[in-house]
Amino acid sequence: MSNPTQRAKKLFVQTFGTTADALYLAPGRINLIGEHTDYNDGFVLPAAINFHTVIAVKRREDALYRVISDTNPGDIKEWLFGIEGEMDPKDGVINYLKGFTATMAASGLPAKGLDISVVSNVPLNAGLSSSAALEIAFGTAINDCSQLKLSPLAVAQIALSGENKYVGRASGIMDQMISALAQQDHALLIDCEDLDSELVPIPDNLSLIIVNSNVQRESIKLEYNLRRDECASVAKHFGLDSLRHLTLNQLDASKDALSDTYYRRAKHVLTENRRTQHSAHALAAGNIPKLSKLMAQSHASMRDDFDITVPEIDSLVNIISTVVGKRGGVRMTGSGFGGCVVALVDHALTDAVVAAIEQQYTQQTGLEATVYLCSACDGATRIDERLY
Ligand code: GLA
């Protein structure tokens, strides 16, 4: 994998004819458990992974932003802070950055302009949060260059607000928070109601394996927004702002008053919140059989109640869980309809898992999977160039 830091420096010099002042990075993420719970004010348990977006910057004295991305080299985009203009759907990368500055300007936060190059090795369209990595790397750069002294959580909140309001993605806070707050070798249990979070150590004997199903994800935005609306409708039915404080007993008592779909959507969220908190305890205690069971239940709930898995993803989970048994956990991760599977398994089983995927996945589905052997890494930071 080529080094995004060196590439960002090179792209900066090639584009702006001078060297950058500073470099910042932010990681992509994997969610261990707690799916579609963040926008329901529930619990999530993500970790940052060693795929990064790197931003090289040079401060400007005016309010101009000039950005070059290696996804579109040769095409410099410009805007003035607070005057972001229309979001062109073709400008994927740039819109996330414009959304960030627009949100800052709307909240009365000041910032000077920047010249920027952006390079990333976070796989695109895999559900590993390349967009949050981009927003948080950018937010960390602005925060530092304009000496705003915002907390990582505040940077995450601005990023989410920009994504929701200006880019039009109705996502929850998980991706931005983990990219901003992660710590090496830890997952982060986030309570999305009050945004409190707690580090959970990942035991040394576990490998973090991510497998991209390479299923073409279609109508994902539509399906995601539909799930959000369905959950909001159930909360409204009970006179609540979110599903967070609905109990399973209350839900079951009203089963006949709800459609089967609404009932199953809410059941997933309520049971997933419980599984996520229990998983954090199991992980911290090194209780892998318990974690294995909870991750299997989570997958079944996403498949049977939330209806967000696809046959190829179910095949991958079956292939891996057959090898791993109780010595690790596996489930689909992310918004669904393809994307990736996450497995936390005893190191000794890593090769057997990879071999099983190679032998069986293509045969069962006609697709090739991509396996990433990852580690849980730190959140966004300024890069100390002496290390590069
Ligand atoms: C996407 C969103 C997150 C979260 C997950 C599902 O990754 O960006 O906020 O809702 O889907 O858990």
Side-chain angles (χ1 to χ4, degrees):
M1 182 196 323
S2 63
N3 180 335
T5 305
Q6 295 307 336
R7 280 162 51 211
K9 283 163 87 168
K10 188 170 164 192
L11 180 62
F12 193 96
V13 172
Q14 282 171 344
T15 309
F16 300 111
T18 177
T19 50
D21 293 336
L23 290 134
Y24 300 85
L25 62 71
R29 67 97 187 91
I30 192 76
N31 189 19
L32 300 180
I33 192 163
E35 224 61 81
H36 287 261
T37 44
D38 59 354
Y39 57 80
N40 285 302
D41 287 349
F43 292 91
V44 291
L45 187 64
I49 51 173
N50 51 324
F51 287 102
H52 294 96
T53 294
V54 173
I55 290 198
V57 304
K58 198 173 193 79
R59 291 176 193 81
R60 300 180 58 93
E61 284 313 311
D62 55 17
L64 185 65
Y65 282 76
R66 294 196 299 171
V67 180
I68 187 79
S69 159
D70 75 338
T71 53
N72 212 354
D75 187 14
I76 303 177
K77 299 286 182 191
E78 296 186 4
W79 73 95
L80 284 167
F81 184 81
I83 313 178
E84 284 71 19
E86 289 292 298
M87 303 279 162
D88 182 344
K90 289 196 298 296
D91 285 350
V93 166
I94 305 304
N95 290 343
Y96 288 102
L97 309 189
K98 282 184 171 178
F100 198 98
T101 57
T103 305
M104 285 182 71
S107 348
L109 285 166
K112 289 251 170 84
L114 295 170
D115 286 339
I116 295 172
S117 67
V118 181
V119 172
S120 182
N121 63 12
V122 184
L124 293 176
N125 301 321
L128 300 176
S129 274
S130 54
S131 51
L134 171 68
E135 294 159 8
I136 298 300
F138 181 62
T140 305
I142 297 193
N143 191 23
D144 192 36
C145 293
S146 288
Q147 299 186 336
L148 298 173
K149 305 209 175 344
L150 298 170
S151 67
L153 176 58
V155 171
Q157 288 174 296
I158 295 170
L160 177 66
S161 175
E163 183 168 314
N164 289 168
K165 274 197 215 134
Y166 297 95
V167 185
R169 269 193 83 215
S171 46
I173 189 77
M174 167 170 70
D175 307 345
Q176 289 78 10
M177 268 187 81
I178 188 64
S179 186
L181 296 168
Q183 276 193 26
Q184 192 177 349
D185 299 329
H186 289 78
L188 192 70
L189 178 65
I190 304 173
D191 179 340
C192 299
E193 186 179 38
D194 60 9
L195 305 187
D196 217 1
S197 60
E198 187 186 320
L199 287 165
V200 181
I202 299 177
D204 283 346
N205 63 321
L206 295 182
S207 288
L208 178 57
I209 306 175
I210 300 172
V211 189
N212 189 343
S213 63
N214 288 320
V215 171
Q216 287 296 325
R217 303 212 284 173
E218 277 157 25
S219 56
I220 179 144
K221 190 171 169 188
L222 203 83
E223 293 288 352
Y224 186 90
N225 291 344
L226 180 62
R227 297 301 180 286
R228 260 197 102 131
D229 290 347
E230 288 165 345
C231 292
S233 298
V234 180
K236 197 167 165 214
H237 172 89
F238 287 96
L240 298 167
D241 290 338
S242 77
L243 292 178
R244 170 59 180 269
H245 296 291
L246 184 67
T247 65
L248 262 181
N249 282 345
Q250 284 172 308
L251 179 68
D252 282 339
S254 294
K255 190 171 179 187
D256 294 342
L258 295 168
S259 72
D260 174 57
T261 301
Y262 277 15
Y263 172 78
R264 287 185 297 113
R265 301 296 187 254
K267 182 174 159 226
H268 164 76
V269 173
L270 303 192
T271 55
E272 185 79 347
N273 276 335
R274 196 187 280 179
R275 284 187 291 269
T276 304
Q277 292 172 84
H278 289 171
S279 295
H281 291 139
L283 194 62
N287 187 345
I288 307 311
K290 177 98 186 273
L291 183 71
S292 174
K293 189 170 160 194
L294 291 163
M295 288 176 78
Q297 288 172 346
S298 169
H299 187 80
S301 178
M302 291 190 289
R303 184 190 59 214
D304 303 335
D305 288 336
F306 221 63
D307 295 320
I308 54 170
T309 74
V310 292
E312 294 86 347
I313 283 279
D314 294 336
S315 292
L316 261 182
V317 167
N318 284 338
I319 292 167
I320 298 171
S321 64
T322 305
V323 177
V324 169
K326 291 183 184 162
R327 293 170 68 193
V330 55
R331 58 184 282 283
M332 187 191 78
T333 181
S335 45
F337 305 98
C340 291
V341 156
V342 60
L344 263 180
V345 309
D346 193 317
H347 286 315
L349 295 171
T350 308
D351 290 353
V353 167
V354 175
I357 294 167
E358 279 170 3
Q359 283 156 18
Q360 299 170 45
Y361 183 64
T362 306
Q363 199 189 15
Q364 290 181 17
T365 65
L367 295 173
E368 292 263 352
T370 313
V371 178
Y372 309 111
L373 301 181
C374 288
S375 56
C377 69
D378 284 327
T381 186
R382 180 174 171 151
I383 298 175
D384 183 343
E385 284 214 63
R386 287 166 306 179
L387 302 176
Y388 286 87

